[in-house]
Amino acid sequence: MKVTVEPGAFQKLIGYEVAEWGAGYAIIELILDSRHLNRYGNPHGGVLMTLLDAACTRSGTVDPETGENKKAATVNVATSFIAIAQGDKIRVKGRKVGGGRRLFFAEAHAYDAEGHLIASATGTCRYT
Amino acid sequence: MKVTVEPGAFQKLIGYEVAEWGAGYAIIELILDSRHLNRYGNPHGGVLMTLLDAACTRSGTVDPETGENKKAATVNVATSFIAIAQGDKIRVKGRKVGGGRRLFFAEAHAYDAEGHLIASATGTCRYT
Amino acid sequence: MKVTVEPGAFQKLIGYEVAEWGAGYAIIELILDSRHLNRYGNPHGGVLMTLLDAACTRSGTVDPETGENKKAATVNVATSFIAIAQGDKIRVKGRKVGGGRRLFFAEAHAYDAEGHLIASATGTCRYT
Amino acid sequence: MKVTVEPGAFQKLIGYEVAEWGAGYAIIELILDSRHLNRYGNPHGGVLMTLLDAACTRSGTVDPETGENKKAATVNVATSFIAIAQGDKIRVKGRKVGGGRRLFFAEAHAYDAEGHLIASATGTCRYT
């Protein structure tokens, strides 16, 4: 499934794509290129945090009963940087793990082109 | 004080500046423009996380005794989104709060143009 | 200032005291003894997390205008373990740093008997 | 599998048991009783944080090749409180998700007697 929404300016700047998006989950993909690199030649932590946050937030916005796509904002997110990405593709899987009418909780895991876990995040979001 | 290092590609993409940088602290500034906005017209969380992470990491790299600027990478960072930014300038203050030879701990606080706290982060970094 | 509330069972089990508690802040103290130790003879991380969480949550419950003491619950908390405690006293200072009608954000810092920062936390809480 | 280690004092105070413990995982269980309750009659957040932290830390200590049980300490942990526990039993599953020689990364999920996810944590630990 894939809910389609016009991407925002920052999403375009970074260049990530929403590969899948439905009730309770979202998958974000990014092809890495030179713009994403830090001073040491690795993907900047801000890139990974952006993808993980985007996957967390989107995972909870689609109403499982009505299909309505609600607005949500991140309250906080805790990110772990687990390994250096190999290859040029990042795939982030986010899923909603709980919550109620006002808040929801999500997890996201980022994998590199070889399928290794490179970063993870847990997020709390609120419906706005 | 201001340690000067050639900015990386992602820093240029986002457009943030290192306003101050010394032993135990770093101040990062960003003039917000349209590229930083999310689908709702607010600064994307990824922008704030990038600035907070950059301030945390830099706060611990300058050796207080030798002035040497060491390399460091973020192990993890927990970010809270406290308020919507007013105005078009973000100022982030990072400071090292502890650590040893291999790891250090940092905090960063992001303020908007009116001086209100809009986001904060705690980070753990390792020397590489 | 010190709001007084009958301690709960877990607070009694751990043995911490609320030293100060007012609008926007709370100070928690604990005299360490053998019950708080882990298998390695250091204070268990759960002890510090409990104190930090208690300081975060309490920091936002007293209404600055009416003095009413509201109920609140922690939504999430990120804790850093910065150094091993020296001596037998822990003092934790929590302060509210932002929020609105439903959620608030807090920080807490734990110091040992020598005044060194040994752990910190950022918490998000909701009024219940 | 179950590595057996003499419990520390704080573990005894709280009363949790290590139900399973092997290379890359650990399962912690607790029968809730009145000592674990906060002022509102719910399990104190400190109880859940203690269990989640214990599961994270233990998940990475058993060497998958030699079976040696290494010492480890938590560097930081981010906990989300997702739902109120129903029933009187908590079961926490921790698993190591990455890391190297000095640090490892873990996740833990806490379930209540009905099998609902009530809290989760991500932790970073170091070998000591």
Side-chain angles (χ1 to χ4, degrees), chain A residues 75-76 102-103 105 124 126, chain C residues 75-76 102-103 105 124 126:
Chain A
V75 174
N76 50 45
R102 288 181 183 148
L103 294 176
F105 298 88
T124 307
R126 62 185 172 79
Chain C
V75 174
N76 50 45
R102 290 183 181 144
L103 295 175
F105 298 89
T124 307
R126 63 185 170 79

Side-chain angles (χ1 to χ4, degrees), chain C residues 30 32 83-91 110-118:
Chain C
L30 177 72
L32 287 168
I84 301 289
Q86 304 300 318
D88 67 353
K89 186 173 175 181
I90 306 286
R91 183 174 169 89
Y111 301 89
D112 68 11
E114 298 179 358
H116 294 123
L117 181 66
I118 57 167

Side-chain angles (χ1 to χ4, degrees), chain D residues 13-24:
Chain D
L13 186 73
I14 305 297
Y16 62 87
E17 303 283 343
V18 181
E20 296 184 36
W21 188 5

